[in-house]
Amino acid sequence: MAANQKQVAISEFFEKNKHFLGFDTLNRALITAVKEAVDNALDACEEARILPDIVVKITKLDNKKDILQLEVEDNGPGIPRASIEKVFGQLLFGSRFHAIRQSRGQQGIGITGVVMYSQLTTGDPTHVESKIAKEATAVSVDIGLDTRKNKAIKSNQDRIDWGEKAHGLKVKTKMKAKYQRGRQSVWQYLRMTSIVNPHADILFIDPDGEKHHWQRVTERLPSRVEAIKPHPNGIELGQLQRLCSESSESRMTTFLRRTFSGVSGRAAKELCEVSELEEKLKPKSLNPQQVRALLEAFQGERLLKGKPVKLLNPPTSCLSPIEELLIKKGLSKTIDSKFVTTMTRAPSVTQGNPFQVEVGLIFGDGMAADKPVEILRFANRVPLMYQQGGCLLTKAIESVDWRQYGLDQAGGRGVPKGPAAILVHLASTNVQFTSEAKEALSDNETVMEEARKAMLEMGRGLRKHLEKQKKMGKTKEKFELINDIIPAIAEKSAALLELPVPDLAGSITRIMSAVIAETTTTWNKETKQTDVHIAFYNYTSRARSYTMLVNWPERQGATMVGNELGGRKEAMGVWAWKLETLQPGSRTVITYSLDGLEKGDWNETDVFYRGSQEVIGATKMDEKLLEEIRRQEEALNAPPPDEDADEEGDAEIAPEPEPAETKPTTPVGDPKQTTLFGGDY
Amino acid sequence: MAERKSIEETKTALHDVVREMYDRIVKGEPPTMTLPVRTKNNIGFDPKLGVYKYGKKQTIRDATSLGSAKQLLRALHVIEFIESMINDGKSSTLREMYYISEGWGLGKFQSQNESNNLAEDLEIVTRCLREDFKLRPEEDGARMIGNLTLRERNRRGEWMRINARDDVGDSGYGVPYNVEAEKIEFLEHDINFIMAIETGGMFDRLVENGFDEDFNCALLHLKGQPARSTRRIMKRMSEEWDLPVVVFLDGDPWSFRIFASIAYGAIKTAHISEYLATPTSTYLGITADDILAYDLPSDDLSKKDIEALNAELSDPRFADGWWQEQINMMLEVGKKAEQQSLAKYGLDFVTETYLPEKLQQLGL
């Protein structure tokens, strides 16, 4: 009787909460199941530093009753036999529940929810196979749930031979679910997952047997994230009380410095001072009023000489952004278009939680020009597929007037239209959602501002690209004019008049009356290098002299090879050649190749010039911009500020995200960004 | 100017166009083609001819942009093509030329409109007619019914005598694309005027009601904006037989334009206005005041209609008081009406009441 009640209770629990558990519709149930399994696989691989190979297979078992079978297999570390039942059969089991760092799942209904949903809709257990490296064979076991005891029921446990495969996990489960295509589908979820996990290889076999393969585009695993200590700005009363009472420290100052991030020696003293606590007080002995006073000091409500106590920002090693180059690769492999611009903002902090916004925009053919752009939202590398309209990230996109950057947008508000997709990724130790469904981010001014700034920067990149394309189109036209049309006119008119074909040089000079640079940047399959070819034509009646400059991805680790004209390094990522004399009617060519890059890393080269006469196809060098690059280079090469100096209490590092001394004198973008030339890397 | 040119004259005129381009290249300059500006800002009334002609404004098409350079190259291809047709004694339609241009590589036309415009450009610059170039329009000539007799030289080169009332069916005599003297001669008639009608429906109504016999006139179906041959045959009949032309159109801004092209010359063909336009023709209806006077079923003017009317206010061809009044009235009323809206009062209203009243006002 009691068991029965419990069974009813847990079914009810599921039924009542299926919205936020993600099982409210038959389509969503399947996506959620895939999501839980794939997220686990990616997390496990990341922790074990393994490049993930994931296979997802969906088979229709019973069409009438909508019964599907889902199989997910990975090459992760596997789960030791003893832990299998905990991972699959216990709600809220997970090691990352309390750690302050960026992670995919943030609370743990997880895969157990899938096992439960499967059992409730089909009555069958979930089949699990797991192999860890140090064991010769894999464990094979069926997991069901004893909903009364919140415990797994194991059956058919066995050892099986996995042949070559050293480690991994295989989950096979049946459920009542529907496979659908479209914007909210397993396919879309996996596609989005592959964009933000460029290090993963994902193979999806849909119910029709069709294979969708998203290949790995980088061997680089996401950087390892460290758990950090809580920051005073993000602490709540209960949490502070617990931290105090559980502390074994003997002095308040030591407690404050060791328990929290961002608290220097001086700040610890000041916090004690404003909250009227003696420095040598034992944290354990604090009474509730004292804890409250400390919290007020934390939140800047108690002032020291009219100001809140200065705290350092929490360290950002707990964040793992995807980073610009990899976003670019992820987008490029999924959407076939040539232009991609990306921007990873510097980490920032809101309410003591470090966060970082990344955006990417892919533009070009292959996408519908008259439809709203595709929005790809992610939180901590997890795709967000529902509630697009209510999400902070969507609002950030909508708040930008995209018309000035070359996209259509009715009234300068709302989702822009055009052949583009916009990616937004929020990496944070504490992602705030609008609801338990965890599909839309809730409003937060600081995050919004960061996202907006990133969009604007990216928009500038897009505008520059479109302008460049237009310019290139014009240059191309000029070349067609003088290379094809004018000679044809000369020949045809001569033939009709039965006269000799006249010399064209004069006409061509008059038509062009300019120096023209023609630049191509192409991937060379054979050499695995990016070949850059720049030709200068002097179509003026005088000899000309220039310094020509290009940007190149030096910071990304590229090396310049085969540069026969030599030249010199002008600044980080900027190379220059002095072209002493370009004779009238002559052509000079600069060629070089970039080594150490992969296909798609570098698609466009910007050419700049110094000289009096305009060069069509190049931009006049902005010397202030160049100075800015040099300044940043110096700043980057300077030794990083010493952590210990903070402990001495005499370092004066302002907690503001943008210290005044690094502000540029010219508005060339955000001073904290390392992307120059408008984010085209 | 509108005299027919000999083969040699035509060739020389075309070579002058080529010569301009060639000479510029020899001088080290971009090749050019000079032609009059073809907009309403460059047409003026020629009192001697009684029609509107292009003024003195010239535009120089030079090869400094890809678009114009391609135009020049196309012109050369067209000239070469015309020369070869003249030499071989062939002719082709404008549409055929458009398709032939497929083989012209860089000089190929992107649309038939382009090839038509270029043929006109060459007419203007060389002061020849496209008939001299051996280029025929695709356009559909008019239909005509009335007691008049002409002779037309048929395909076999024989002259055929045709009475446009007794020798034709209900669809009337079909006007060929070439209505010059070598093709058509007017013999005799028993009519007092020629009535040009915009729509087929109204033409058929008047035919069915026997209007041509009751009022001793020739009925001519314009088929919207009339083709060059339609305007030319009206001009010839009016001139050679000294007959007035009355024009019966819908009551909207576009009909005003049709009338202007019949009476004063079209902007596009202002170079040959004296050859196509019939300055003595009169606008019969539907006028803006007809809409009110006859309380005709009407439609509201669209945005485009209003734009067109405003453009007409500054068009020199509509500068006279009567037209300004009509246009302003239509703008004021904000309505337009079709010819066939007269059917509101029955099928015979147009022939028994409306037209007799209007003709009487004109003294016909």
PDB file of all heavy atoms in Angstrom, chain A residues 50 55 85 98 121 159 183 199 207 212-213 239 306 356 423 428 441 461 512 520 542 585 588-589 593 636 652 667 672:
ATOM      1  N   ILE A  50      39.416  13.645 -22.908  1.00  0.00           N
ATOM      2  CA  ILE A  50      39.297  12.756 -24.066  1.00  0.00           C
ATOM      3  C   ILE A  50      38.549  13.509 -25.151  1.00  0.00           C
ATOM      4  O   ILE A  50      37.574  14.209 -24.856  1.00  0.00           O
ATOM      5  CB  ILE A  50      38.499  11.485 -23.684  1.00  0.00           C
ATOM      6  CG1 ILE A  50      39.265  10.656 -22.663  1.00  0.00           C
ATOM      7  CG2 ILE A  50      38.157  10.651 -24.925  1.00  0.00           C
ATOM      8  CD1 ILE A  50      38.420   9.586 -21.995  1.00  0.00           C
ATOM      9  N   VAL A  55      27.889   8.813 -30.725  1.00  0.00           N
ATOM     10  CA  VAL A  55      26.953   8.305 -31.721  1.00  0.00           C
ATOM     11  C   VAL A  55      25.559   8.289 -31.103  1.00  0.00           C
ATOM     12  O   VAL A  55      25.360   7.755 -30.019  1.00  0.00           O
ATOM     13  CB  VAL A  55      27.322   6.877 -32.178  1.00  0.00           C
ATOM     14  CG1 VAL A  55      26.367   6.413 -33.264  1.00  0.00           C
ATOM     15  CG2 VAL A  55      28.761   6.840 -32.677  1.00  0.00           C
ATOM     16  N   GLU A  85      24.770   2.400 -10.785  1.00  0.00           N
ATOM     17  CA  GLU A  85      23.411   2.512 -10.248  1.00  0.00           C
ATOM     18  C   GLU A  85      23.140   3.875  -9.631  1.00  0.00           C
ATOM     19  O   GLU A  85      22.025   4.361  -9.647  1.00  0.00           O
ATOM     20  CB  GLU A  85      23.134   1.388  -9.249  1.00  0.00           C
ATOM     21  CG  GLU A  85      24.217   1.219  -8.218  1.00  0.00           C
ATOM     22  CD  GLU A  85      23.972  -0.028  -7.380  1.00  0.00           C
ATOM     23  OE1 GLU A  85      22.871  -0.149  -6.792  1.00  0.00           O
ATOM     24  OE2 GLU A  85      24.871  -0.873  -7.334  1.00  0.00           O
ATOM     25  N   HIS A  98      27.550  21.534  -6.191  1.00  0.00           N
ATOM     26  CA  HIS A  98      27.884  22.682  -5.347  1.00  0.00           C
ATOM     27  C   HIS A  98      29.073  23.485  -5.833  1.00  0.00           C
ATOM     28  O   HIS A  98      29.306  24.583  -5.362  1.00  0.00           O
ATOM     29  CB  HIS A  98      28.146  22.223  -3.908  1.00  0.00           C
ATOM     30  CG  HIS A  98      26.888  21.760  -3.248  1.00  0.00           C
ATOM     31  ND1 HIS A  98      25.817  22.602  -3.058  1.00  0.00           N
ATOM     32  CD2 HIS A  98      26.523  20.546  -2.765  1.00  0.00           C
ATOM     33  CE1 HIS A  98      24.839  21.918  -2.479  1.00  0.00           C
ATOM     34  NE2 HIS A  98      25.241  20.667  -2.296  1.00  0.00           N
ATOM     35  N   THR A 121       6.787   5.148 -19.139  1.00  0.00           N
ATOM     36  CA  THR A 121       6.042   5.091 -20.393  1.00  0.00           C
ATOM     37  C   THR A 121       6.102   3.734 -21.078  1.00  0.00           C
ATOM     38  O   THR A 121       5.252   3.417 -21.889  1.00  0.00           O
ATOM     39  CB  THR A 121       6.531   6.176 -21.401  1.00  0.00           C
ATOM     40  OG1 THR A 121       7.945   6.034 -21.586  1.00  0.00           O
ATOM     41  CG2 THR A 121       6.214   7.570 -20.907  1.00  0.00           C
ATOM     42  N   ARG A 159      29.236  -9.362 -17.804  1.00  0.00           N
ATOM     43  CA  ARG A 159      30.466  -8.790 -18.353  1.00  0.00           C
ATOM     44  C   ARG A 159      30.508  -9.144 -19.831  1.00  0.00           C
ATOM     45  O   ARG A 159      30.246 -10.263 -20.221  1.00  0.00           O
ATOM     46  CB  ARG A 159      31.698  -9.417 -17.668  1.00  0.00           C
ATOM     47  CG  ARG A 159      31.921  -8.871 -16.273  1.00  0.00           C
ATOM     48  CD  ARG A 159      32.889  -7.707 -16.361  1.00  0.00           C
ATOM     49  NE  ARG A 159      33.013  -7.021 -15.096  1.00  0.00           N
ATOM     50  CZ  ARG A 159      33.561  -5.800 -15.000  1.00  0.00           C
ATOM     51  NH1 ARG A 159      33.993  -5.185 -16.095  1.00  0.00           N
ATOM     52  NH2 ARG A 159      33.670  -5.208 -13.851  1.00  0.00           N
ATOM     53  N   ARG A 183      13.013  23.230 -36.278  1.00  0.00           N
ATOM     54  CA  ARG A 183      13.819  24.092 -35.428  1.00  0.00           C
ATOM     55  C   ARG A 183      13.964  23.528 -34.030  1.00  0.00           C
ATOM     56  O   ARG A 183      14.918  23.810 -33.333  1.00  0.00           O
ATOM     57  CB  ARG A 183      13.173  25.481 -35.363  1.00  0.00           C
ATOM     58  CG  ARG A 183      14.173  26.575 -35.559  1.00  0.00           C
ATOM     59  CD  ARG A 183      13.476  27.911 -35.607  1.00  0.00           C
ATOM     60  NE  ARG A 183      12.767  28.187 -34.363  1.00  0.00           N
ATOM     61  CZ  ARG A 183      12.352  29.391 -34.022  1.00  0.00           C
ATOM     62  NH1 ARG A 183      12.550  30.405 -34.812  1.00  0.00           N
ATOM     63  NH2 ARG A 183      11.693  29.588 -32.890  1.00  0.00           N
ATOM     64  N   HIS A 199      35.303  20.391 -30.693  1.00  0.00           N
ATOM     65  CA  HIS A 199      36.252  19.296 -30.434  1.00  0.00           C
ATOM     66  C   HIS A 199      35.553  17.936 -30.460  1.00  0.00           C
ATOM     67  O   HIS A 199      36.202  16.920 -30.318  1.00  0.00           O
ATOM     68  CB  HIS A 199      36.912  19.508 -29.072  1.00  0.00           C
ATOM     69  CG  HIS A 199      35.931  19.419 -27.938  1.00  0.00           C
ATOM     70  ND1 HIS A 199      34.975  20.386 -27.703  1.00  0.00           N
ATOM     71  CD2 HIS A 199      35.736  18.463 -26.989  1.00  0.00           C
ATOM     72  CE1 HIS A 199      34.248  20.035 -26.638  1.00  0.00           C
ATOM     73  NE2 HIS A 199      34.690  18.873 -26.199  1.00  0.00           N
ATOM     74  N   PRO A 207      15.625   8.077 -37.459  1.00  0.00           N
ATOM     75  CA  PRO A 207      14.768   6.881 -37.596  1.00  0.00           C
ATOM     76  C   PRO A 207      14.657   6.368 -39.036  1.00  0.00           C
ATOM     77  O   PRO A 207      14.317   5.216 -39.261  1.00  0.00           O
ATOM     78  CB  PRO A 207      13.402   7.369 -37.089  1.00  0.00           C
ATOM     79  CG  PRO A 207      13.707   8.497 -36.185  1.00  0.00           C
ATOM     80  CD  PRO A 207      14.919   9.159 -36.748  1.00  0.00           C
ATOM     81  N   HIS A 212      23.713  11.720 -40.111  1.00  0.00           N
ATOM     82  CA  HIS A 212      24.138  13.118 -40.074  1.00  0.00           C
ATOM     83  C   HIS A 212      25.427  13.161 -39.282  1.00  0.00           C
ATOM     84  O   HIS A 212      25.446  12.754 -38.122  1.00  0.00           O
ATOM     85  CB  HIS A 212      23.090  13.987 -39.384  1.00  0.00           C
ATOM     86  CG  HIS A 212      21.707  13.770 -39.915  1.00  0.00           C
ATOM     87  ND1 HIS A 212      21.156  14.539 -40.900  1.00  0.00           N
ATOM     88  CD2 HIS A 212      20.777  12.826 -39.601  1.00  0.00           C
ATOM     89  CE1 HIS A 212      19.932  14.095 -41.174  1.00  0.00           C
ATOM     90  NE2 HIS A 212      19.682  13.059 -40.401  1.00  0.00           N
ATOM     91  N   HIS A 213      26.477  13.640 -39.923  1.00  0.00           N
ATOM     92  CA  HIS A 213      27.777  13.588 -39.261  1.00  0.00           C
ATOM     93  C   HIS A 213      28.353  14.987 -39.094  1.00  0.00           C
ATOM     94  O   HIS A 213      28.518  15.715 -40.056  1.00  0.00           O
ATOM     95  CB  HIS A 213      28.723  12.723 -40.100  1.00  0.00           C
ATOM     96  CG  HIS A 213      29.981  12.371 -39.363  1.00  0.00           C
ATOM     97  ND1 HIS A 213      31.037  11.760 -39.952  1.00  0.00           N
ATOM     98  CD2 HIS A 213      30.341  12.574 -38.067  1.00  0.00           C
ATOM     99  CE1 HIS A 213      32.015  11.590 -39.051  1.00  0.00           C
ATOM    100  NE2 HIS A 213      31.598  12.081 -37.912  1.00  0.00           N
ATOM    101  N   GLN A 239      23.824  31.273   3.286  1.00  0.00           N
ATOM    102  CA  GLN A 239      25.094  30.710   2.843  1.00  0.00           C
ATOM    103  C   GLN A 239      26.239  31.254   3.705  1.00  0.00           C
ATOM    104  O   GLN A 239      27.139  30.508   4.122  1.00  0.00           O
ATOM    105  CB  GLN A 239      25.294  31.126   1.375  1.00  0.00           C
ATOM    106  CG  GLN A 239      26.205  30.216   0.585  1.00  0.00           C
ATOM    107  CD  GLN A 239      26.378  30.745  -0.832  1.00  0.00           C
ATOM    108  OE1 GLN A 239      25.679  31.685  -1.247  1.00  0.00           O
ATOM    109  NE2 GLN A 239      27.288  30.157  -1.567  1.00  0.00           N
ATOM    110  N   GLY A 306      32.980  56.867   3.094  1.00  0.00           N
ATOM    111  CA  GLY A 306      31.981  57.184   2.069  1.00  0.00           C
ATOM    112  C   GLY A 306      31.959  56.246   0.887  1.00  0.00           C
ATOM    113  O   GLY A 306      31.234  56.464  -0.074  1.00  0.00           O
ATOM    114  N   GLN A 356      30.933  35.515 -19.121  1.00  0.00           N
ATOM    115  CA  GLN A 356      31.605  35.918 -20.334  1.00  0.00           C
ATOM    116  C   GLN A 356      30.635  35.720 -21.485  1.00  0.00           C
ATOM    117  O   GLN A 356      29.953  34.703 -21.548  1.00  0.00           O
ATOM    118  CB  GLN A 356      32.853  35.051 -20.522  1.00  0.00           C
ATOM    119  CG  GLN A 356      33.848  35.599 -21.479  1.00  0.00           C
ATOM    120  CD  GLN A 356      35.204  34.913 -21.321  1.00  0.00           C
ATOM    121  OE1 GLN A 356      35.319  33.931 -20.594  1.00  0.00           O
ATOM    122  NE2 GLN A 356      36.196  35.418 -22.004  1.00  0.00           N
ATOM    123  N   LEU A 423      25.049  33.703 -33.328  1.00  0.00           N
ATOM    124  CA  LEU A 423      25.276  32.823 -32.186  1.00  0.00           C
ATOM    125  C   LEU A 423      25.554  33.685 -30.949  1.00  0.00           C
ATOM    126  O   LEU A 423      26.295  34.655 -31.037  1.00  0.00           O
ATOM    127  CB  LEU A 423      26.469  31.923 -32.508  1.00  0.00           C
ATOM    128  CG  LEU A 423      27.025  30.998 -31.421  1.00  0.00           C
ATOM    129  CD1 LEU A 423      27.665  29.784 -32.105  1.00  0.00           C
ATOM    130  CD2 LEU A 423      28.046  31.656 -30.517  1.00  0.00           C
ATOM    131  N   SER A 428      28.976  31.133 -17.689  1.00  0.00           N
ATOM    132  CA  SER A 428      28.866  31.730 -16.360  1.00  0.00           C
ATOM    133  C   SER A 428      28.862  30.649 -15.307  1.00  0.00           C
ATOM    134  O   SER A 428      28.497  29.502 -15.555  1.00  0.00           O
ATOM    135  CB  SER A 428      27.563  32.543 -16.277  1.00  0.00           C
ATOM    136  OG  SER A 428      27.363  32.987 -14.954  1.00  0.00           O
ATOM    137  N   LEU A 441      17.198  32.828 -20.714  1.00  0.00           N
ATOM    138  CA  LEU A 441      17.943  33.512 -19.670  1.00  0.00           C
ATOM    139  C   LEU A 441      17.146  34.708 -19.161  1.00  0.00           C
ATOM    140  O   LEU A 441      16.523  35.419 -19.943  1.00  0.00           O
ATOM    141  CB  LEU A 441      19.284  34.007 -20.210  1.00  0.00           C
ATOM    142  CG  LEU A 441      20.195  32.938 -20.785  1.00  0.00           C
ATOM    143  CD1 LEU A 441      21.550  33.531 -21.118  1.00  0.00           C
ATOM    144  CD2 LEU A 441      20.369  31.791 -19.802  1.00  0.00           C
ATOM    145  N   GLY A 461      32.007  44.481 -37.762  1.00  0.00           N
ATOM    146  CA  GLY A 461      32.741  43.535 -38.603  1.00  0.00           C
ATOM    147  C   GLY A 461      31.953  43.204 -39.858  1.00  0.00           C
ATOM    148  O   GLY A 461      32.496  43.163 -40.960  1.00  0.00           O
ATOM    149  N   MET A 512      40.932  54.381 -65.712  1.00  0.00           N
ATOM    150  CA  MET A 512      41.223  53.925 -64.353  1.00  0.00           C
ATOM    151  C   MET A 512      41.752  55.066 -63.497  1.00  0.00           C
ATOM    152  O   MET A 512      41.308  55.241 -62.372  1.00  0.00           O
ATOM    153  CB  MET A 512      42.263  52.800 -64.381  1.00  0.00           C
ATOM    154  CG  MET A 512      41.851  51.601 -65.210  1.00  0.00           C
ATOM    155  SD  MET A 512      40.406  50.760 -64.536  1.00  0.00           S
ATOM    156  CE  MET A 512      41.184  49.469 -63.590  1.00  0.00           C
ATOM    157  N   THR A 520      43.853  38.216 -53.121  1.00  0.00           N
ATOM    158  CA  THR A 520      43.135  36.959 -52.923  1.00  0.00           C
ATOM    159  C   THR A 520      43.771  36.224 -51.748  1.00  0.00           C
ATOM    160  O   THR A 520      44.986  36.253 -51.568  1.00  0.00           O
ATOM    161  CB  THR A 520      43.187  36.049 -54.161  1.00  0.00           C
ATOM    162  OG1 THR A 520      44.554  35.812 -54.487  1.00  0.00           O
ATOM    163  CG2 THR A 520      42.497  36.681 -55.355  1.00  0.00           C
ATOM    164  N   ARG A 542      51.842  58.548 -63.792  1.00  0.00           N
ATOM    165  CA  ARG A 542      53.089  58.830 -63.090  1.00  0.00           C
ATOM    166  C   ARG A 542      53.589  57.626 -62.314  1.00  0.00           C
ATOM    167  O   ARG A 542      52.817  56.746 -61.975  1.00  0.00           O
ATOM    168  CB  ARG A 542      52.866  59.968 -62.099  1.00  0.00           C
ATOM    169  CG  ARG A 542      53.129  61.322 -62.733  1.00  0.00           C
ATOM    170  CD  ARG A 542      53.142  62.375 -61.649  1.00  0.00           C
ATOM    171  NE  ARG A 542      51.984  63.225 -61.797  1.00  0.00           N
ATOM    172  CZ  ARG A 542      51.430  63.888 -60.787  1.00  0.00           C
ATOM    173  NH1 ARG A 542      51.883  63.723 -59.560  1.00  0.00           N
ATOM    174  NH2 ARG A 542      50.391  64.676 -60.994  1.00  0.00           N
ATOM    175  N   GLY A 585      51.593  51.942 -65.703  1.00  0.00           N
ATOM    176  CA  GLY A 585      51.235  50.762 -66.493  1.00  0.00           C
ATOM    177  C   GLY A 585      51.871  49.475 -66.004  1.00  0.00           C
ATOM    178  O   GLY A 585      51.705  48.429 -66.623  1.00  0.00           O
ATOM    179  N   THR A 588      53.007  45.033 -59.855  1.00  0.00           N
ATOM    180  CA  THR A 588      53.921  44.476 -58.855  1.00  0.00           C
ATOM    181  C   THR A 588      53.119  43.497 -57.995  1.00  0.00           C
ATOM    182  O   THR A 588      51.982  43.773 -57.654  1.00  0.00           O
ATOM    183  CB  THR A 588      54.491  45.594 -57.952  1.00  0.00           C
ATOM    184  OG1 THR A 588      55.118  46.555 -58.796  1.00  0.00           O
ATOM    185  CG2 THR A 588      55.476  45.051 -56.957  1.00  0.00           C
ATOM    186  N   VAL A 589      53.752  42.384 -57.687  1.00  0.00           N
ATOM    187  CA  VAL A 589      53.021  41.352 -56.958  1.00  0.00           C
ATOM    188  C   VAL A 589      53.714  41.021 -55.641  1.00  0.00           C
ATOM    189  O   VAL A 589      54.932  40.879 -55.585  1.00  0.00           O
ATOM    190  CB  VAL A 589      52.897  40.065 -57.808  1.00  0.00           C
ATOM    191  CG1 VAL A 589      52.184  38.985 -57.010  1.00  0.00           C
ATOM    192  CG2 VAL A 589      52.134  40.357 -59.088  1.00  0.00           C
ATOM    193  N   SER A 593      52.690  32.956 -47.940  1.00  0.00           N
ATOM    194  CA  SER A 593      51.749  31.959 -47.445  1.00  0.00           C
ATOM    195  C   SER A 593      51.768  31.979 -45.927  1.00  0.00           C
ATOM    196  O   SER A 593      52.761  32.363 -45.318  1.00  0.00           O
ATOM    197  CB  SER A 593      52.135  30.569 -47.948  1.00  0.00           C
ATOM    198  OG  SER A 593      52.109  30.563 -49.349  1.00  0.00           O
ATOM    199  N   LEU A 636      50.163  43.582 -23.378  1.00  0.00           N
ATOM    200  CA  LEU A 636      50.087  42.121 -23.291  1.00  0.00           C
ATOM    201  C   LEU A 636      51.421  41.510 -22.879  1.00  0.00           C
ATOM    202  O   LEU A 636      51.474  40.483 -22.215  1.00  0.00           O
ATOM    203  CB  LEU A 636      49.655  41.540 -24.644  1.00  0.00           C
ATOM    204  CG  LEU A 636      48.160  41.583 -24.894  1.00  0.00           C
ATOM    205  CD1 LEU A 636      47.870  41.222 -26.341  1.00  0.00           C
ATOM    206  CD2 LEU A 636      47.432  40.633 -23.963  1.00  0.00           C
ATOM    207  N   GLU A 652      46.861  48.459  -5.624  1.00  0.00           N
ATOM    208  CA  GLU A 652      45.642  49.255  -5.824  1.00  0.00           C
ATOM    209  C   GLU A 652      45.053  48.910  -7.192  1.00  0.00           C
ATOM    210  O   GLU A 652      45.199  49.648  -8.151  1.00  0.00           O
ATOM    211  CB  GLU A 652      45.973  50.750  -5.737  1.00  0.00           C
ATOM    212  CG  GLU A 652      45.695  51.360  -4.385  1.00  0.00           C
ATOM    213  CD  GLU A 652      44.226  51.384  -4.018  1.00  0.00           C
ATOM    214  OE1 GLU A 652      43.367  51.069  -4.871  1.00  0.00           O
ATOM    215  OE2 GLU A 652      43.918  51.720  -2.874  1.00  0.00           O
ATOM    216  N   PRO A 667      38.595  56.101 -30.496  1.00  0.00           N
ATOM    217  CA  PRO A 667      37.547  55.091 -30.352  1.00  0.00           C
ATOM    218  C   PRO A 667      37.725  53.961 -31.356  1.00  0.00           C
ATOM    219  O   PRO A 667      37.149  53.977 -32.426  1.00  0.00           O
ATOM    220  CB  PRO A 667      36.265  55.888 -30.622  1.00  0.00           C
ATOM    221  CG  PRO A 667      36.702  57.044 -31.468  1.00  0.00           C
ATOM    222  CD  PRO A 667      38.124  57.311 -31.155  1.00  0.00           C
ATOM    223  N   LYS A 672      39.590  46.310 -23.992  1.00  0.00           N
ATOM    224  CA  LYS A 672      39.953  45.008 -23.421  1.00  0.00           C
ATOM    225  C   LYS A 672      39.989  43.917 -24.470  1.00  0.00           C
ATOM    226  O   LYS A 672      40.383  42.804 -24.218  1.00  0.00           O
ATOM    227  CB  LYS A 672      38.963  44.642 -22.317  1.00  0.00           C
ATOM    228  CG  LYS A 672      39.040  45.601 -21.149  1.00  0.00           C
ATOM    229  CD  LYS A 672      38.295  45.071 -19.981  1.00  0.00           C
ATOM    230  CE  LYS A 672      39.098  43.998 -19.278  1.00  0.00           C
ATOM    231  NZ  LYS A 672      38.367  43.502 -18.116  1.00  0.00           N
TER     232      LYS A 672
END
